[in-house]
Amino acid sequence: PFVDVLKLDVDSYDCALLEELLPNVQAHLLLAEINPGVPPPFKFAMRYHPRLLPFFESLDTIQDVPIRGCSLSYVVDLAARYGYDLVAFGIHDALFSHRNVRH
């Protein structure tokens, strides 16, 4: 079964969560937060670590962490493994549709 939309925006280890979600949850549309500071073709993904939450809580703002989240190239490759194609990208978000939606 499909859900209509899966949106992921946690300002940190988004790709690690996507790697766990995508094998188990299928969506017609996937909206993922992207770090635009890492341009294609570079691939980047912040990984989970138990000390991340205390580190983030110690900061005045999440903006103090310049490199976080996922690069567009990383998410495009990850999403493609589970049947998603990039439809649009704007500033901080990428929209993907599942191949089953278009058939």
Side-chain angles (χ1 to χ4, degrees):
F2 276 82
V3 296
D4 289 331
V5 178
L6 174 61
K7 181 180 189 310
L8 188 63
D9 181 351
V10 295
D11 292 328
S12 58
Y13 46 89
D14 301 62
C15 279
L17 291 173
L18 273 177
E19 288 168 356
E20 295 298 318
L21 286 169
L22 290 180
N24 300 299
V25 177
Q26 291 185 316
H28 296 296
L29 298 174
L30 168 64
L31 185 61
E33 182 181 36
I34 302 298
N35 183 333
V38 184
F42 299 106
K43 294 179 185 173
F44 170 81
M46 177 181 272
R47 307 319 258 160
Y48 172 77
H49 191 280
R51 290 193 223 159
L52 269 178
L53 184 57
F55 170 71
F56 285 142
E57 288 173 340
S58 73
L59 302 173
D60 291 331
T61 173
I62 190 72
Q63 305 311 320
D64 290 341
V65 181
I67 207 79
R68 63 187 186 280
C70 310
S71 67
L72 180 60
S73 292
Y74 192 100
V75 180
V76 166
D77 286 351
L78 174 61
R81 283 185 261 156
Y82 296 97
Y84 294 91
D85 295 313
L86 179 66
V87 174
F89 172 68
I91 304 179
H92 290 281
D93 294 303
L95 177 65
F96 298 83
S97 67
H98 196 274
R99 291 180 188 128
N100 290 343
V101 172
R102 295 184 310 278
H103 298 285

